[in-house]
């Protein structure tokens, strides 16, 4: 590699770090320009999310001890910065509706708060009943990034990372006990396409939703990834419709209460033994974990009822 062939390896690595940092700074400027041109929020959000990741990887590259690890991180950071630049440019194609900063700030805060609750409930449920812990972890990573974006003023990025966290946590809940994955994938695809069509009919062009839909269709490595991508496409398309001024309600996670979740609450949960005496917990006498399980179902029911 160029690094191994270099006579000044330390200087080579320093130059790489400078190149990546310059690219990130240039991309930040491009995002500011896109914002000044009223770029569509989802394009701005996608750019801000990727910029945040690029910054994270650049910081990691500065901390790691092995040069090979640093080079890998820098390569990924550069790719994210270039992708962010592309999204910033794409956001300016077509007419954009000016979204007041206070609206973005308010929605970013609300979505982050809603996402944090859903991720917490999903974590409690998966810990108790089993399921896809990897989805919950990925949702927590999205949530952490959204928090960083709120702190740095990347409100659009915080919106779409919060939405992605909602989708992943909601999917983890929905998949508990699901037997027919094919039908779940097909339904998720239909919902996504319907949301995209509705957004377009309202005058919006949901570029990020279409991207997520196409990724699910052609590149998603598993059915779970397809469900997440289609779910994200649905949420983003509804948000695009809302931003276009034609939606009469806030886009929100619409998670079905599956029969499997109901059974988890209705059937007594076997607890760990205490002093060698098995203790069973039923919905009639819930402890903290029982309340958490009930809270999941209650929250999902209220969301469906409110936004139905």
């Amino acid at each position: 590699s160029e690094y191994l062939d270099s006579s000044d390896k330390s200087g080579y690595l320093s130059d790489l770090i400078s190149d990546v940092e310059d690219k990130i700074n240039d991309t930040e400027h491009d995002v500011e320009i896109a914002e000044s041109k009223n770029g569509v929020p989802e394009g701005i959000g996608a750019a801000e999310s990727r910029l945040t990741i690029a910054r994270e990887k650049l910081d990691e590259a500065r901390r790691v001890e092995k040069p090979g690890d640093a080079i890998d991180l820098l390569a990924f950071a550069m790719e994210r910065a270039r992708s962010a630049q592309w999204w910033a440019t794409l956001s300016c194609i077509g007419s954009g509706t000016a979204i007041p900063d206070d609206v973005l700030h308010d929605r970013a805060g609300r979505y982050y708060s809603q996402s944090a609750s859903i991720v917490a409930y999903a974590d409690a449920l998966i810990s108790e009943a089993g399921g896809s812990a990897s989805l919950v972890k990925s949702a927590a990573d999205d949530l952490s990034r959204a928090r960083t974006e709120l702190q740095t003023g990347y409100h659009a990025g915080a919106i779409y990372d919060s939405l992605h966290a909602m989708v992943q946590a909601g999917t983890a809940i929905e998949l508990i006990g699901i037997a027919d994955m094919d039908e779940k994938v097909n339904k998720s695809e239909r919902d996504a396409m319907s949301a995209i069509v509705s957004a377009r009919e309202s005058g919006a062009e949901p570029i990020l939703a279409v991207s997520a839909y196409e990724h699910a269709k052609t590149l998603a490595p598993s059915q779970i990834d397809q469900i997440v991508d289609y779910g994200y496409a649905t949420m983003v398309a509804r948000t695009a419709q809302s931003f276009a001024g034609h939606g009469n309600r806030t886009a929100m996670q619409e998670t079905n209460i599956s029969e499997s979740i109901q059974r988890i609450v209705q059937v007594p949960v076997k607890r760990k033994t205490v002093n060698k005496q098995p203790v069973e917990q039923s919905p009639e006498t819930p402890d903290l974990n029982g309340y958490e399980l009930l809270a999941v179902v209650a929250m999902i029911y209220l969301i469906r009822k409110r936004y139905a």
Side-chain angles (χ1 to χ4, degrees):
S1 69
E2 293 182 7
Y3 172 77
L4 294 176
D5 294 337
S6 174
S7 59
D8 182 6
K9 292 180 173 56
S10 177
Y12 179 87
L13 198 57
S14 295
D15 288 343
L16 275 183
I17 290 174
S18 296
D19 289 344
V20 172
E21 188 163 27
D22 288 344
K23 186 64 175 180
I24 291 174
N25 290 335
D26 289 343
T27 304
E28 286 178 339
H29 179 64
D30 291 340
V31 172
E32 291 174 358
I33 292 175
E35 290 173 338
S36 70
K37 293 181 178 179
N38 297 329
V40 292
E42 60 196 274
I44 300 295
E48 290 178 346
S49 176
R50 284 154 179 77
L51 262 178
T52 302
I53 295 173
R55 280 286 183 197
E56 290 173 353
K57 298 307 177 183
L58 176 60
D59 291 341
E60 287 182 41
R62 287 188 169 119
R63 293 194 301 268
V64 297
E65 296 181 359
K66 295 181 179 180
D69 292 340
I71 291 172
D72 288 342
L73 288 166
L74 290 170
F76 187 68
M78 180 66 83
E79 185 276 330
R80 291 288 86 183
R82 287 171 175 163
S83 178
Q85 198 168 40
W86 182 82
W87 276 105
T89 301
L90 185 63
S91 72
C92 295
I93 297 176
S95 59
T97 301
I99 308 296
D101 289 340
D102 60 334
V103 172
L104 284 176
H105 182 274
D106 175 71
R107 187 167 297 193
R110 285 191 289 115
Y111 279 18
Y112 174 81
S113 178
Q114 292 163 354
S115 179
S117 296
I118 294 174
V119 171
Y121 291 142
D123 184 50
L125 181 59
I126 296 302
S127 297
E128 184 75 21
S132 181
S134 61
L135 276 178
V136 178
K137 182 182 183 304
S138 294
D141 290 341
D142 285 335
L143 190 64
S144 176
R145 189 176 309 115
R147 181 169 59 250
T148 298
E149 287 157 351
L150 281 173
Q151 294 169 347
T152 57
Y154 283 175
H155 297 131
I159 286 172
Y160 292 99
D161 278 330
S162 293
L163 287 176
H164 199 259
M166 285 187 205
V167 170
Q168 294 202 94
T171 300
I173 295 172
E174 285 188 315
L175 291 182
I176 295 175
I178 288 290
D180 192 347
M181 288 290 287
D182 289 338
E183 174 55 29
K184 179 62 179 174
V185 170
N186 291 335
K187 183 181 184 305
S188 298
E189 180 185 1
R190 292 193 298 269
D191 290 345
M193 180 51 67
S194 176
I196 289 170
V197 170
S198 294
R200 284 172 170 165
E201 289 175 347
S202 74
E205 179 50 48
I207 55 176
L208 185 56
V210 172
S211 175
Y213 179 90
E214 292 298 333
H215 187 274
K217 197 81 171 173
T218 60
L219 296 174
S222 70
Q223 287 184 310
I224 290 178
D225 290 304
Q226 283 184 297
I227 292 168
V228 169
D229 284 345
Y230 285 136
Y232 187 54
T234 300
M235 292 283 280
V236 171
R238 289 173 180 167
T239 303
Q241 182 175 354
S242 176
F243 276 132
H246 295 272
N248 58 8
R249 62 189 181 188
T250 302
M252 183 60 195
Q253 177 77 342
E254 295 182 353
T255 308
N256 292 324
I257 305 176
S258 66
E259 292 181 0
S260 59
I261 295 179
Q262 294 182 32
R263 287 198 299 271
I264 289 170
V265 178
Q266 293 167 357
V267 176
V269 179
K270 291 185 178 180
R271 310 292 294 163
K272 294 181 179 179
T273 59
V274 179
N275 295 329
K276 298 184 179 181
Q277 295 296 322
V279 179
E280 286 196 350
Q281 198 66 44
S282 71
E284 287 74 21
T285 57
D287 65 353
L288 178 60
N289 288 326
Y291 280 121
E292 289 170 341
L293 291 176
L294 291 171
V296 175
V297 177
M299 178 196 67
I300 296 171
Y301 172 75
L302 290 173
I303 289 172
R304 283 173 53 80
K305 184 176 180 181
R306 181 176 179 183
Y307 295 99

